[in-house]
Amino acid sequence: MTPTQDAARELFTDLTGHAPEGIWSAPGRVNLIGEHTDYNDGFVLPFAIPHRTVAAVGRREDHRIRVASTFADEPVEVELDDLDRLFPTPTGSAPQVPEWAAYPLGVAWALRQADGIAASAAVGSGLDIAIASDVPVGAGLSSSAAIEGATASALNDLWAAGLDRPALARVGRRAENEAVGAPTGIMDQMASMLGEPDAAIFLDCRTLDANLVQVGIAEAGLAILVMDTRVKHAHSTGGYGERRAACERGAAIMSVPSLRDVSVDDLPRAQELMDDVTFRRVRHVVTENQRVLDTVRVLREGSARDIGDLLVASHASMRDDFEISVPELDTAVEAALAAGAVGARMTGGGFGGAAIALVEQDAVPRVTNAVNAAFAASGFAAPVLFTVTPSAGAHRDV
């Protein structure tokens, strides 16, 4: 048992007075490349990380669902039939339950409404759910999808829903979009559900076709260093929704269903038709889609050592065109590159969170020290730095 599994089991036992029926977990994710392309029907290349959210779960004899978490003071309990009253959350409104509880409760609501669920399975039994996690919150590593994945996996088993992993990812996305009110795409949930060791998931967000791409980080003598700036972000508020609206506006101007249907060759025409801000948002998405395709090709034909320039170009596009970076993220990327990183970029939705650097294994201490020094020199709070490897997706642990 890991410390996180122990914490979830202990919380469940304290809550109910007995052991859980099982323990399920799902990982956070790092997106190697492909940012803000997912809700534009584009391409992404994430991988699951070793950090996981654990759900200890057991059925109840009544029709109530109770959720507890090691990072919340009090559990939240509702009638299963009240989920349809609580959700969906109106656009721009806060959930009627604490936001942390809206994730697992939203999964239960979305799973009960999923296509193909038999009535008996959809109604389900009552549940107690105890959650613990070592996925950093607000770091752009998708702690939310990890909660959704662990909860969905547990409910899929205990309610005998019979959904496959992509369907559970769709359940998680609906919970995040409609229960929490965060207008995210499906990349995070698919990465958390489908992850495999030493592989990234090449995902077509329009068709949901997913293919594993061997990354070969260790084979190339490299490591992936996560640089968590500790600048917190929230997808359910502010700039994320504005960026999504700009993308939809750009697609409408180009008379296409989504920016997936705009190519790099179309950008000169787009620039003629759009205001500067909308055009730059569109240019980021279009060029980022191409960078994902180029990265997949390089990994399949060559080595992880050869993707560094693509990572750097991705960060520049997010900084200058999509304008979702912050000074701490730029400092982390610039310091890592100056210390010899092969490539670096911010990862996640932006406005805070983490950056990643592709680093020679023996250079990890040097790059770590350089980033820490750059933050201190800039007067920023110290970042949290750690390495990750592509890891397994959601599953039942016990």
Side-chain angles (χ1 to χ4, degrees):
M1 296 283 286
T2 67
T4 312
Q5 291 170 332
D6 285 337
R9 180 189 288 272
E10 181 178 349
L11 178 61
F12 184 95
T13 302
D14 290 344
L15 187 69
T16 67
H18 58 82
E21 288 186 61
I23 294 176
W24 291 259
S25 71
R29 66 95 187 94
V30 157
N31 192 21
L32 187 61
I33 197 164
E35 228 62 77
H36 288 264
T37 51
D38 58 345
Y39 56 80
N40 289 292
D41 285 349
F43 303 103
V44 292
L45 191 64
F47 61 86
I49 61 175
H51 300 70
R52 302 181 74 86
T53 293
V54 174
V57 187
R59 284 171 285 201
R60 298 164 57 118
E61 294 183 357
D62 56 17
H63 288 277
R64 299 183 68 81
I65 182 167
R66 178 170 51 171
V67 293
S69 168
T70 56
F71 46 84
D73 293 333
E74 298 292 336
V76 175
E77 183 173 345
V78 301
E79 288 279 351
L80 276 174
D81 290 341
D82 281 345
L83 293 173
D84 290 336
R85 176 183 58 81
L86 294 172
F87 308 120
T89 299
T91 302
S93 302
Q96 298 182 63
V97 295
E99 184 171 296
W100 72 266
Y103 289 99
L105 292 177
V107 166
W109 167 74
L111 184 55
R112 282 160 56 94
Q113 297 194 357
D115 291 340
I117 299 296
S120 60
V123 171
S125 58
L127 297 163
D128 284 308
I129 305 170
I131 295 169
S133 181
D134 64 3
V135 182
V137 176
L141 303 178
S142 202
S143 57
S144 57
I147 294 175
E148 293 153 7
T151 305
S153 297
L155 272 56
N156 191 49
D157 287 352
L158 294 178
W159 283 352
L163 297 183
D164 62 16
R165 288 172 177 250
L168 292 177
R170 290 193 291 273
V171 165
R173 177 180 60 177
R174 186 173 187 191
E176 187 143 350
N177 291 172
E178 299 184 32
V180 181
T184 58
I186 200 168
M187 172 185 69
D188 296 349
Q189 292 82 8
M190 289 290 279
S192 188
M193 293 304 305
L194 300 179
E196 293 288 348
D198 196 37
I201 299 120
F202 175 39
L203 176 64
D204 181 334
C205 295
R206 169 169 286 171
T207 65
L208 296 190
D209 287 342
N211 294 282
L212 296 179
V213 178
Q214 296 302 307
V215 181
I217 297 295
E219 180 183 347
L222 300 172
I224 298 173
L225 180 67
V226 174
M227 303 172 287
D228 179 4
T229 66
R230 297 200 296 164
V231 177
K232 301 301 182 187
H233 69 173
H235 283 171
S236 57
T237 59
Y240 192 103
E242 294 171 3
R243 297 310 186 277
R244 183 162 186 164
C247 293
E248 293 169 354
R249 186 166 62 249
I253 290 171
M254 296 297 287
S255 300
V256 294
S258 73
L259 293 183
R260 157 70 172 272
D261 302 298
V262 180
S263 71
V264 173
D265 292 339
D266 294 326
L267 289 176
R269 175 170 172 266
Q271 188 168 20
E272 292 176 356
L273 297 173
M274 299 174 190
D275 64 88
D276 178 65
V277 171
T278 302
F279 170 68
R280 288 188 290 111
R281 306 298 188 247
V282 168
R283 182 169 60 186
H284 163 71
V285 173
V286 172
T287 58
E288 187 80 345
N289 270 327
Q290 187 60 53
R291 283 186 287 270
V292 174
L293 298 176
D294 291 343
T295 300
V296 170
R297 175 182 52 79
V298 169
L299 289 174
R300 285 173 170 167
E301 297 176 358
S303 165
R305 289 183 172 277
D306 301 323
I307 67 171
D309 289 346
L310 290 163
L311 303 184
V312 173
S314 174
H315 183 79
S317 181
M318 290 184 285
R319 181 192 64 213
D320 301 334
D321 278 353
F322 223 60
E323 296 183 288
I324 54 173
S325 191
V326 296
E328 290 86 348
L329 287 167
D330 294 338
T331 296
V333 168
E334 292 160 9
L337 292 172
V342 173
R345 65 183 289 272
M346 60 151 282
T347 188
F351 308 105
I356 58 171
L358 198 58
V359 179
E360 300 280 357
Q361 287 178 357
D362 59 6
V364 169
R366 181 178 74 245
V367 175
T368 297
N369 291 338
V371 173
N372 281 324
F375 270 59
S378 299
F380 300 145
V384 176
L385 291 92
F386 52 91
T387 59
V388 294
T389 56
S391 301
H395 53 68
R396 183 170 184 164
D397 297 355
V398 178

